Amino acid sequence: MARSATEDVELGGVRIPAGSFVAVSLGAANRDPERYPDPDAFNVGREDKQHISFGDGAHKCLGMHLARWKCGCC
Ligand code: HEM
């Protein structure tokens, strides 16, 4: 995903000046070993389902319920 910073912000110890272009990798975030145990294992029974594949916040995917229809895993 792409965003541009409208104001100076600090995230994870990194200063992002206003006007910067930021490329965010959701796939990398979903495999963060500090967030998920054994993040690279394919595990549809995983209890922690707080992934961000559908984004988050104001622009969270409007079609997520349709995409998940009959999925049952997340
Ligand atoms: C597995 C399927 C899908 C995935 C992984 C997915 C993922 C995403 C993600 C990550 C975003 C956020 C983009 C951002 O923040 O810049 C998004 C937004 C959006 N998605 Fe999906 N999506 C899926 C299916 C669908 C479907 C089926 C629809 C509609 C039928 C849909 C409609 C939208 C719309 C309209 C937005 C923009 C929401 C906004 O900006 O307010 N998506 N999607």
Side-chain angles (χ1 to χ4, degrees):
M1 312 197 305
R3 293 287 187 272
S4 54
T6 56
E7 57 188 61
D8 291 350
V9 65
E10 188 172 316
L11 280 177
V14 177
R15 188 179 156 275
I16 301 171
S20 300
F21 176 81
V22 182
V24 183
S25 171
L26 298 183
N30 282 341
R31 291 175 183 234
D32 180 354
E34 291 183 15
R35 175 64 177 76
Y36 303 100
D38 203 9
D40 290 329
F42 177 66
N43 177 7
V44 292
R46 202 183 288 276
E47 292 194 1
D48 183 349
K49 299 172 183 174
Q50 299 297 306
H51 64 81
I52 54 170
S53 298
F54 293 111
D56 201 5
H59 296 285
K60 189 162 190 169
C61 179
L62 287 179
M64 60 186 253
H65 299 293
L66 183 61
R68 285 171 162 166
W69 185 54
K70 291 197 174 176
C71 156
C73 73
C74 58

